[in-house]
Amino acid sequence: MKKRPVLFLWLMFITSLLTLPFLGWKAFKRFLPGTLFTAGIMMIESLLAVKFNWWKIFKKIPPYFINEFAFMAGPFFAGPLWILRLTYGRFFLYFVLNAVTDAVLVYPMNYFFEHIGILKMKKMNRHQLYVLCVAEAVLMYGFQWLWENLMKKKKEEDEITLQSPIP
């Protein structure tokens, strides 16, 4: 893999997307808002990483103007969908699974990405990145919870409107 880091990025991206049909359409639609919210945060984070030199991405796949595209559209898109699907409604389990997943990403996987020449940590260390990832996970769960409560309330209001007699 050291000689072909771009191939690894493509494999990571495609493999992540290939898991989505097993998620189920209903779960995909249900948890997409929280995942897209987190993707938005990651895009802002990516811009800040460039501005403040938190890390440097050396190898990319198209579109080249988004440094972390292979990560954001691959495992950082599929992973949160799966974690929400498996644990939503049980915050402690969600938190533990995310904390473990983030630890694997930030410590051994990040070392591997540096070793094969995909990225290098600069002004942000791995511990800070870990805290950032865990904070994003908590924000995602909170957003998903708010979204579901708003949609539930809207559905109840719509049902009341439909049931009320028309004068």
Side-chain angles (χ1 to χ4, degrees), residues 83 87 91-108 126-127 129-138 140:
I83 290 173
T87 63
F91 180 75
F92 181 74
L93 181 60
Y94 169 85
F95 185 81
V96 169
L97 183 58
N98 251 299
V100 169
T101 304
D102 290 341
V104 169
L105 168 73
V106 169
Y107 296 102
R126 285 182 176 84
H127 306 304
L129 181 60
Y130 180 73
V131 170
L132 184 64
C133 290
V134 170
E136 286 173 0
V138 172
M140 179 176 64

Side-chain angles (χ1 to χ4, degrees), residues 17-167:
L17 293 183
L18 287 175
T19 68
L20 294 180
F22 300 104
L23 186 67
W25 178 245
K26 197 173 183 179
F28 180 82
K29 283 189 339 185
R30 178 181 179 192
F31 298 119
L32 187 61
T35 301
L36 291 177
F37 173 76
T38 305
I41 290 174
M42 286 183 194
M43 290 176 96
I44 293 168
E45 178 185 292
S46 178
L47 295 171
L48 292 172
V50 171
K51 181 174 175 57
F52 296 111
N53 200 27
W54 289 344
W55 55 77
K56 175 78 174 146
I57 306 288
F58 300 112
K59 302 295 181 187
K60 305 172 190 173
I61 64 172
Y64 293 109
F65 61 90
I66 301 174
N67 287 341
E68 292 92 350
F69 178 77
F71 296 97
M72 281 190 212
F76 293 171
F77 181 74
L81 284 167
W82 276 104
I83 290 173
L84 281 170
R85 163 81 165 72
L86 296 171
T87 63
Y88 188 75
R90 298 165 293 180
F91 180 75
F92 181 74
L93 181 60
Y94 169 85
F95 185 81
V96 169
L97 183 58
N98 251 299
V100 169
T101 304
D102 290 341
V104 169
L105 168 73
V106 169
Y107 296 102
M109 290 303 293
N110 197 306
Y111 174 78
F112 173 72
F113 295 141
E114 284 187 13
H115 180 71
I116 65 173
I118 291 175
L119 62 82
K120 177 143 180 68
M121 298 301 293
K122 297 283 193 167
K123 291 186 178 177
M124 180 180 280
N125 66 41
R126 285 182 176 84
H127 306 304
Q128 292 167 325
L129 181 60
Y130 180 73
V131 170
L132 184 64
C133 290
V134 170
E136 286 173 0
V138 172
L139 285 173
M140 179 176 64
Y141 192 93
F143 180 86
Q144 184 68 34
W145 182 83
L146 283 172
W147 179 265
E148 291 207 354
N149 283 329
L150 287 172
M151 292 299 107
K152 182 179 177 183
K153 187 176 179 180
K154 184 180 181 305
K155 184 178 178 184
E156 289 170 356
E157 289 172 358
D158 289 346
E159 288 174 0
I160 290 170
T161 305
L162 290 173
Q163 292 175 358
S164 64
I166 300 173

